[in-house]
Structures are given as structure tokens and as C-alpha cells.
Amino acid sequence: MSMAGTAVSTLRPRVSPLRYPGGKSALYPRLRKLIRDMGLAGCTYVEPYAGGVGAGLGLLATGQVERVVINDLDPAIYAFWATVQSDSGWLIEQIRKTELDVNEWRRQREIYQSADTSRRSELGFATFYLNRTNRSGVLNGGPIGGLDQSGNYKIDARFNREGLAERIRILSLYSDNIIPTSQDGIEIIEKYAKQDNTFIYADPPYFEKAGSLYLNAFSPDDHTALARVLNSYADRPWLLTYDNVPQVAKLYSDRRRRKFELNYSAHRVGKATEIAVLADLLPEVGEGWKVTSS
Ligand SMILES: C[S@@+](CC[C@H](N)C(=O)[O-])C[C@H]1O[C@@H](n2cnc3c(N)ncnc32)[C@H](O)[C@@H]1O
């Protein structure tokens, strides 16, 4: 049955503690339906370009999937997820007690910039702190309210200590089912695409403007290499999302492509039209795959 024009609930559990520019937590109801329709309930869900894993953690916390592989090449993002998985008590303590002011912001930024992976939990917390105190969550941006804190919103505007501590506590209940890794996304796709009972949702950096939002920008060659691998696994269950640019139609000319809209976008005002590419195995999702984000 086509889903064109069908209203889909935008209700979704908010479990990810990260704010992510262009985050895809709004895809949660769509992914849930796809996974159920394919008989993959209880599967291993893999995000090779994880970022905030907004949709994936919702699927885990509601029991739709059994485990979530969270892969991100950015060592700081990886450090955060590894800390959630293995050091949640310490993380909750930091969330409750760390000052929310520009002095502390500078200290956390130093830890983040030093990128010392041998102090993984500290790096993970600094990443989280900047994500929650910076404008739009952009890690190399400035603090909400500015360095002089003269803006309408202040540095603590997005740092609800108890709400965030609760999200970490909920995730700690699933620590055996969260697998954080830090490899190239293509290696992760190669590893998991062959496995049964596995669903891959790939949300790589965009063609446009990715450089300013993420630490690891993709080169044109990276986009081509990704397409080569995903197209070679067209008979496996995966979904890919991208910005709506002509290169996607070219790289995935043999696959079904469906437009959808996200309201929220860090680099464009208003609605951004994005594109979903479907592995051949996936059921039809219908043209006008409307998704509303916040
Ligand atoms: C578009 S974001 C993913 C957003 C995510 N879907 C969400 O909802 O929050 C892309 C992520 O890919 C990561 N990344 C960039 N290059 C990568 C690579 N070669 N392999 C794995 N991850 C990479 C970036 O650090 C960034 O966090």
C-alpha cells in the first residue's frame, strides 16, 4: 500500500542526549514502520554515521530493535558514546555538578580541542558540554548568548541537568545493547551488511555545507566510495538519507529515491527537502515521505 499523503505520528521518544545539526530523530516513526514491515523487529540496528543517533536510540528504548551499533569517525563523538555506555554514573555526576558559565565553557573547550583520547570520559563529557552549550550544538561554534552572555538566551538554555541526567540513566539500562565504535562508515557497512537480522540506516555528511557542521567532512571521493559499497548491497536492508542534490540521483540512479521534508535545519532557514535512497529489499514508502522535525 502506498503511504503517499498518509499522516504519520510525529510522536517519538527523546532519548538522545546530543543536539545534532540535521539530526534525524524525526525519522523514528518511519524507521519503526520499515523495520516492522520487513519482519526485522528485534534486529541489530546500525548507524555507520551516527552523530546523535536520535532515531536509533528511540528504537532501542522502545524495544523495536535489540541492539544499536553507534559508529562515528569523530573521536570526540565516539568518546561521548563510549562514556555513556561504560561510565554513565560518572557522566551523570558531571552533568549535575559542572558549572554552566563561560569560564567553564573555556575549560571544556580546551579539553575538547586537546582531543586526548587517553582521557576518554573527560573528552566525552567536554564534547557533550559543548554540544549542549553551543549555538545549534555545533561543536566548534560559540556559546549560546555569546562570550559576553549578552544574548537573550544564556549558556544554560539547553542544559536541563535533570532531564539530561535522566536520558543518560535510561541509556545506561541498555549498556549491554549499545555498541560504540569509531571506524570509517564504509568499513562498518561492509561488516554488518552481510549479517542477518540487521538494518543499516546511513546518514552521511551532506554534500553541501557539511564542512562547517562536522569535524569530518566528506570529499567527493568519499561519497562515490559510499555509493559503490551501498549499491553492491542493494539486496540487503538499508536506508540512506542525503541532502537533495543532483549528485545523489547520479550515484544512486538504479535505486528508488524519495523526497522528504525536515523542518529543522542548522544551515538553512525553514524547511529542508532531503532525499531517502532505498535498498531494493525495502518496501515502498511512497512519494512525499513527509517527516516533521522540531
Ligand atoms: C549527518 S551526521 C549524522 C546525524 C545523525 N543521523 C543524527 O540523527 O544525529 C554525520 C556524522 O558522520 C560522522 N562522520 C563523518 N565522516 C565519517 C566517516 N568517514 N565514517 C564515519 N562517520 C563519519 C560525522 O562526525 C557526523 O557525526
Side-chain angles (χ1 to χ4, degrees), residues 20 23-24 47-54 71-74 183-185 203-205 214 216 218:
Y20 228 75
K24 296 301 186 307
E47 285 210 24
Y49 305 93
V53 216
N71 181 71
D72 204 293
L73 192 58
D74 184 336
Q183 285 170 251
D184 189 284
D203 183 31
Y214 309 115
N216 302 293
F218 245 43

Coordinates of all heavy atoms in Angstrom, one line a residue, residues 20 23-24 47-54 71-74 183-185 203-205 214 216 218, ligand 1:
Y20 N 21.8 17.5 17.5 CA 22.6 17.3 16.4 C 22.1 18.1 15.2 O 21.0 18.0 14.8 CB 22.7 15.8 16.0 CG 24.2 15.5 15.7 CD1 25.1 15.4 16.8 CD2 24.6 15.3 14.5 CE1 26.4 15.1 16.6 CE2 26.0 15.0 14.2 CZ 26.9 14.9 15.3 OH 28.2 14.7 15.1
G23 N 19.9 16.5 12.7 CA 19.7 15.2 13.4 C 18.4 14.6 12.9 O 17.4 15.3 12.5
K24 N 18.3 13.3 12.8 CA 17.2 12.6 12.2 C 16.3 11.9 13.1 O 15.6 10.9 12.8 CB 17.8 11.6 11.2 CG 18.6 12.2 10.0 CD 17.7 13.2 9.2 CE 18.4 13.7 8.0 NZ 19.7 14.3 8.3
E47 N 24.0 2.5 12.8 CA 24.2 3.8 12.2 C 25.7 4.0 11.9 O 26.5 4.3 12.9 CB 23.7 4.9 13.1 CG 22.1 5.0 13.0 CD 21.6 6.4 13.3 OE1 22.3 7.4 13.0 OE2 20.4 6.4 13.7
P48 N 26.2 3.9 10.7 CA 27.6 4.0 10.4 C 28.1 5.4 10.5 O 29.3 5.7 10.6 CB 27.7 3.5 8.9 CG 26.4 3.0 8.5 CD 25.4 3.5 9.5
Y49 N 27.1 6.4 10.4 CA 27.5 7.9 10.6 C 26.6 8.4 11.7 O 25.6 9.1 11.4 CB 27.2 8.6 9.2 CG 28.0 7.9 8.1 CD1 27.4 7.0 7.3 CD2 29.3 8.3 7.8 CE1 28.1 6.3 6.3 CE2 30.0 7.6 6.8 CZ 29.4 6.7 6.1 OH 30.1 6.1 5.0
A50 N 26.9 8.0 12.9 CA 25.9 8.1 14.0 C 25.5 9.5 14.5 O 24.3 9.8 14.7 CB 26.4 7.3 15.1
G51 N 26.5 10.4 14.7 CA 26.2 11.7 15.3 C 25.4 11.5 16.6 O 25.8 10.8 17.5
G52 N 24.2 12.1 16.6 CA 23.3 12.0 17.8 C 22.5 10.7 17.9 O 21.8 10.5 18.9
V53 N 22.4 9.9 16.8 CA 21.6 8.6 16.8 C 20.2 8.8 17.3 O 19.7 7.9 17.9 CB 22.3 7.5 17.7 CG1 22.1 6.2 17.0 CG2 23.7 7.7 18.0
G54 N 19.6 10.0 17.0 CA 18.3 10.3 17.5 C 17.3 9.3 17.3 O 16.5 8.8 18.2
N71 N 28.4 4.1 15.3 CA 29.7 4.4 14.8 C 29.9 5.8 14.3 O 29.0 6.3 13.6 CB 30.0 3.4 13.6 CG 31.4 3.7 13.0 OD1 32.4 3.3 13.7 ND2 31.5 4.3 11.9
D72 N 31.0 6.4 14.8 CA 31.3 7.8 14.3 C 32.8 7.9 14.3 O 33.5 7.6 15.2 CB 30.7 8.8 15.2 CG 30.5 10.1 14.4 OD1 31.5 10.8 14.1 OD2 29.3 10.5 14.2
L73 N 33.3 8.4 13.1 CA 34.7 8.5 13.0 C 35.3 9.6 13.8 O 36.5 9.6 14.1 CB 35.0 8.8 11.5 CG 36.5 8.6 11.0 CD1 37.1 7.3 11.4 CD2 36.6 8.9 9.6
D74 N 34.5 10.6 14.2 CA 34.9 11.7 15.0 C 35.3 11.2 16.4 O 34.4 10.7 17.1 CB 33.8 12.7 15.1 CG 34.2 14.0 15.8 OD1 35.1 13.9 16.7 OD2 33.6 15.0 15.6
Q183 N 35.1 3.8 13.4 CA 35.7 3.3 12.2 C 35.2 4.2 11.1 O 34.2 4.9 11.2 CB 35.5 1.9 12.0 CG 36.3 0.9 12.9 CD 35.8 -0.5 12.7 OE1 35.1 -1.0 13.6 NE2 36.0 -1.1 11.6
D184 N 35.8 4.0 9.9 CA 35.2 4.6 8.7 C 33.8 3.9 8.5 O 33.7 2.7 8.6 CB 36.1 4.4 7.5 CG 35.6 5.2 6.4 OD1 34.6 4.8 5.7 OD2 36.2 6.3 6.1
G185 N 32.8 4.7 8.2 CA 31.5 4.2 8.0 C 31.4 3.1 7.0 O 30.6 2.1 7.1
D203 N 23.3 8.0 7.4 CA 23.1 9.4 7.3 C 24.4 10.1 7.2 O 24.8 10.8 8.2 CB 22.3 9.9 8.5 CG 21.9 11.3 8.4 OD1 21.7 11.8 7.2 OD2 21.7 12.0 9.4
P204 N 25.1 10.0 6.1 CA 26.5 10.6 6.0 C 26.4 12.1 5.9 O 25.4 12.7 5.8 CB 27.0 10.0 4.6 CG 25.7 9.8 3.9 CD 24.7 9.4 4.8
P205 N 27.6 12.7 6.1 CA 27.6 14.2 6.0 C 27.1 14.6 4.6 O 27.2 13.9 3.6 CB 29.1 14.5 6.0 CG 29.7 13.4 6.8 CD 28.9 12.2 6.4
Y214 N 30.4 19.5 10.8 CA 31.0 18.3 11.4 C 32.5 18.4 11.3 O 33.1 18.9 10.4 CB 30.5 17.0 10.7 CG 29.0 17.0 10.6 CD1 28.4 17.0 9.3 CD2 28.3 16.9 11.7 CE1 27.1 16.9 9.2 CE2 26.9 16.8 11.6 CZ 26.3 16.8 10.4 OH 24.9 16.8 10.3
N216 N 34.4 15.8 10.6 CA 34.9 15.1 9.5 C 34.1 15.3 8.2 O 33.0 14.8 8.1 CB 34.8 13.6 9.8 CG 35.6 13.2 11.0 OD1 36.8 13.3 11.0 ND2 34.9 12.8 12.1
F218 N 33.2 15.1 4.3 CA 33.3 14.1 3.3 C 33.8 14.7 2.0 O 33.4 15.8 1.6 CB 31.9 13.6 3.0 CG 31.7 12.1 3.3 CD1 32.1 11.6 4.5 CD2 31.0 11.3 2.4 CE1 31.9 10.3 4.8 CE2 30.7 10.0 2.7 CZ 31.2 9.5 3.9
Ligands
LIG1 C1 24.8 13.9 9.2 S1 25.7 13.4 10.7 C2 24.7 12.2 11.3 C3 23.5 12.7 12.1 C4 22.7 11.6 12.8 N1 21.9 10.8 11.8 C5 21.7 12.1 13.8 O1 20.5 12.0 13.7 O2 22.2 12.8 14.7 C6 27.1 12.6 10.1 C7 28.1 12.1 11.1 O3 29.1 11.3 10.4 C8 30.4 11.4 11.0 N2 31.4 11.1 10.0 C9 32.0 11.9 9.1 N3 32.8 11.1 8.3 C10 32.7 9.9 8.7 C11 33.2 8.6 8.3 N4 34.0 8.6 7.2 N5 32.9 7.5 8.9 C12 32.0 7.5 10.0 N6 31.5 8.7 10.4 C13 31.8 9.8 9.8 C14 30.4 12.9 11.5 O4 31.3 13.0 12.6 C15 28.9 13.1 11.9 O5 28.7 12.9 13.2

